[in-house]
Amino acid sequence: MLRSLTASLTALPTPNSTLHLYTPLRFATKKSGGSTKNGRDSIGKRLGLKKSGGQRVNAGNIIVRQRGTNFKAGEGVMMGKDYTLFSKTDGWLKFTTFRPNKPSKSEMGGSTGNVRRPNMKKKKFCHIVPDREVLRMKDSEFEKFRAEGGLKGREIVM
């Protein structure tokens, strides 16, 4: 190291000497650290439920932001082009699930295993129950609706 340092110092031009054609260079003996491949992260998209079941919603309120159709639009609900569900009317929010009945083997074409089975996945729907329907409910129906959706009483805003 000392030898290369003195060699580089002697290679510097002085006012009385001519410039040498060959000046020694020193290369790194260890690779530099470089940049990492990590360190990038996108911002959160704020997906998910924005209103819960049994909550009062106004027309135009966003209910669910989602990628794909995890929740499907029911009565009084529309779906935007980015699969966002929003309410068309004022009312109370209700979530329901639906699982189609499993077809029998005869409906599927016999006992051959080559028949493609239909989609038996449970489907989740989002509905808006208008205020007038909640007012017309009997007490037993209302208690069932309240248990499913979580209404906090029978206060209806018209």
Side-chain angles (χ1 to χ4, degrees), residues 94 138-150:
K94 183 177 182 182
K138 296 176 188 169
D139 287 337
S140 60
E141 292 174 346
F142 183 77
E143 289 304 318
K144 182 180 175 189
F145 175 69
R146 189 170 141 193
E148 288 175 356

Side-chain angles (χ1 to χ4, degrees), residues 72-141:
K72 294 170 180 34
E75 292 182 37
V77 179
M78 288 191 69
M79 185 180 294
K81 67 178 183 178
D82 63 345
Y83 302 104
T84 297
L85 297 182
F86 59 93
S87 61
K88 281 196 303 190
T89 59
D90 296 348
W92 301 91
L93 186 60
K94 183 177 182 182
F95 290 99
T96 58
T97 57
F98 171 74
R99 184 186 299 269
N101 292 330
K102 187 175 181 180
S104 65
K105 283 188 177 180
S106 61
E107 291 174 355
M108 297 274 301
S111 61
T112 61
N114 299 337
V115 181
R116 185 172 180 269
R117 293 197 174 268
N119 185 8
M120 300 303 294
K121 190 175 176 185
K122 182 167 49 173
K123 294 171 176 57
K124 295 177 265 189
F125 288 91
C126 179
H127 307 280
I128 302 294
V129 179
D131 290 333
R132 60 182 181 275
E133 289 186 25
V134 173
L135 284 173
R136 275 193 252 138
M137 284 183 184
K138 296 176 188 169
D139 287 337
S140 60
E141 292 174 346

